[in-house]
Amino acid sequence: MLKDKDLRTMIMAAALVTLIASICGYALYGIAAFILLTALGSLITGDFVYITKKRYEDISALSSYLEKVLAGGEAPNILDQEEGELSLLKTNIYKATSTLRHQKELLSKDKVALSNAIADISHQLKTPLTSMIVMNDLLMTEDDKHKRTEFLTTQSHQLDRMNWLIQTLLKLSKIDAGTITMKPEVARADELITEVMKPFEIQLELKNISYHHDNKKMLIKCDRNWTIEALQNIVKNCIEHIDEGGSLEISANETNIYSEILIKDNGCGIAEDELPHIFERFYKGSNAGKDSVGIGLALSKTIITSQHGDILVESRQGEGTRFKVRFYKTIL
């Protein structure tokens, strides 16, 4: 500590002032004044040295703390209950390092999420790509016109599946990364449901599925486009599990807490032990279709929860399934 030039200078100055004061006191008032002034000066100088030393030790501890943070180590808690400028500095440094640590954790999670997304895309594309490679080899050697048409149809189907899969995975990755901002607007439930069902009119007719929905002009605050996509994935899942001649019903309901869209089918239902997993990515239940990849419901869940909503599901095997999509109310 005594190697610090400024501190040495201040100690020498204090000692000099004490000496001069003591000499003057001796000259004016005698030996008693000399002893008193010398003792008082020494006490003040000693207190100054002690306080300065403690301050230097605190500053050294802060320096070590920052070195640990910069080195990427786990830094200890430096907060204390004392008052003063140094304690305020400690608090601000701790806040800054806590923010940096939190940002580091977020970056690490983003890297893991990106790695998982790449792995998911690679895994899911492997099967259709392999199929297309085989089909392409067969096309190069096949002379039969009908066989070639069959192979081309299969390839077209695989391309459509790959396109849907890639688009869905990219949407999930963007939402996870926070690069998509939901833009809530007020929409009428009946208009929303009508738009959701447009792409399924032919499927309902082909499977002879009876469809009913109420015309309640209830207001819902949501991101219209993303919510339509989420609801369409749920409806698509319901239709895939409804037998020919089955039924699908969509209704709207509201309470003082939330607005709700209910989607109900009388399909094969979901086993009780599978219910907790149906919104997990790439989870396929025992009744999943052969072309299912288990990602549609996961996207729906992500879209709705990103709007601070929720999806609840009730189901019994052989008795159908009911999805409840809830949007919790804010000031419209």
Side-chain angles (χ1 to χ4, degrees):
M1 181 190 71
L2 293 177
K3 292 180 180 179
D4 187 273
K5 181 180 178 181
D6 293 336
L7 183 59
R8 288 202 314 269
T9 301
M10 293 177 71
I11 292 174
M12 291 174 63
L16 181 61
V17 170
T18 300
L19 180 60
I20 293 173
S22 298
I23 292 172
C24 291
Y26 176 75
L28 295 174
Y29 302 104
I31 189 65
F34 176 83
I35 294 172
L36 179 62
L37 289 172
T38 301
L40 184 60
S42 299
L43 181 61
I44 293 173
T45 303
D47 286 344
F48 168 76
V49 171
Y50 172 77
I51 293 171
T52 303
K53 180 182 177 183
K54 189 174 184 302
R55 184 175 291 271
Y56 269 64
E57 289 174 351
D58 288 341
I59 292 173
S60 178
L62 281 176
S63 178
S64 298
Y65 174 83
L66 289 173
E67 287 175 1
K68 289 181 181 179
V69 172
L70 292 174
E74 186 65 27
N77 190 334
I78 60 168
L79 294 176
D80 57 41
Q81 303 298 321
E82 298 178 4
E83 296 182 357
E85 294 180 354
L86 192 59
S87 293
L88 182 61
L89 177 61
K90 284 183 181 181
T91 301
N92 289 333
I93 289 176
Y94 183 74
K95 287 179 181 178
T97 53
S98 297
T99 301
L100 290 173
R101 185 163 56 247
H102 178 64
Q103 290 177 345
K104 181 182 176 182
E105 291 172 357
L106 290 178
L107 287 174
S108 297
K109 289 180 181 179
D110 287 344
K111 287 181 180 179
V112 172
L114 178 60
S115 176
N116 291 339
I118 293 173
D120 290 340
I121 293 172
S122 175
H123 175 74
Q124 295 299 326
L125 291 179
K126 190 179 296 182
T127 301
L129 275 174
T130 301
S131 175
M132 289 182 64
I133 291 171
V134 172
M135 290 294 105
N136 191 63
D137 291 340
L138 291 173
L139 276 169
M140 294 177 67
T141 58
E142 183 60 59
D143 295 325
D144 185 274
K145 182 178 179 181
H146 294 292
K147 283 286 185 182
R148 289 176 66 86
T149 302
E150 182 182 339
F151 293 155
L152 286 170
T153 301
T154 302
Q155 276 199 337
S156 178
H157 174 72
Q158 294 295 342
L159 282 170
D160 289 339
R161 184 184 179 196
M162 286 174 63
N163 180 61
W164 177 84
L165 181 60
I166 291 171
Q167 294 298 326
T168 303
L169 287 170
L170 287 175
K171 289 171 185 176
L172 274 169
S173 298
K174 287 179 180 179
I175 294 174
D176 288 343
T179 58
I180 292 177
T181 303
M182 297 294 170
K183 301 176 181 177
E185 58 180 286
V186 177
R188 272 176 42 179
D190 58 332
E191 294 176 352
L192 205 64
I193 293 171
T194 298
E195 198 163 346
V196 166
M197 293 304 300
K198 281 181 181 179
F200 303 106
E201 292 175 353
I202 295 177
Q203 282 182 270
L204 294 175
E205 186 175 345
L206 290 175
K207 293 186 72 172
N208 192 30
I209 295 173
S210 62
Y211 165 63
H212 174 265
H213 74 90
D214 61 23
N215 292 312
K216 187 180 291 184
K217 296 177 175 57
M218 184 182 79
L219 297 180
I220 297 177
K221 191 173 184 180
C222 61
D223 185 299
R224 186 182 185 89
N225 293 330
W226 280 107
T227 299
I228 287 172
E229 178 151 359
L231 296 175
Q232 285 178 341
N233 284 332
I234 295 173
V235 170
K236 179 175 178 291
N237 180 82
C238 290
I239 292 176
E240 288 174 351
H241 292 84
I242 298 175
D243 294 330
E244 187 171 345
S247 65
L248 176 69
E249 181 180 345
I250 301 180
S251 59
N253 181 41
E254 67 177 331
T255 67
N256 292 330
I257 300 173
Y258 56 79
S259 301
E260 181 179 68
I261 292 178
L262 296 93
I263 303 173
K264 181 181 178 182
D265 68 62
N266 68 341
C268 57
I270 303 170
E272 186 177 352
D273 60 326
E274 294 178 354
L275 280 175
H277 307 288
I278 63 170
F279 295 112
E280 295 175 5
R281 296 178 190 185
F282 306 110
Y283 177 81
K284 293 190 286 186
S286 56
N287 295 322
K290 64 177 183 177
D291 291 330
S292 172
V293 293
I295 199 172
L297 290 180
L299 177 59
S300 295
K301 182 77 170 181
T302 302
I303 290 171
I304 299 303
T305 54
S306 295
Q307 300 180 72
H308 308 292
D310 199 8
I311 302 179
L312 306 177
V313 59
E314 300 171 352
S315 183
R316 289 181 180 273
Q317 280 192 298
E319 297 181 14
T321 305
R322 181 166 68 167
F323 291 89
K324 299 178 180 180
V325 183
R326 290 179 176 174
F327 300 90
Y328 294 98
K329 290 186 177 181
T330 56
I331 299 174
L332 294 180

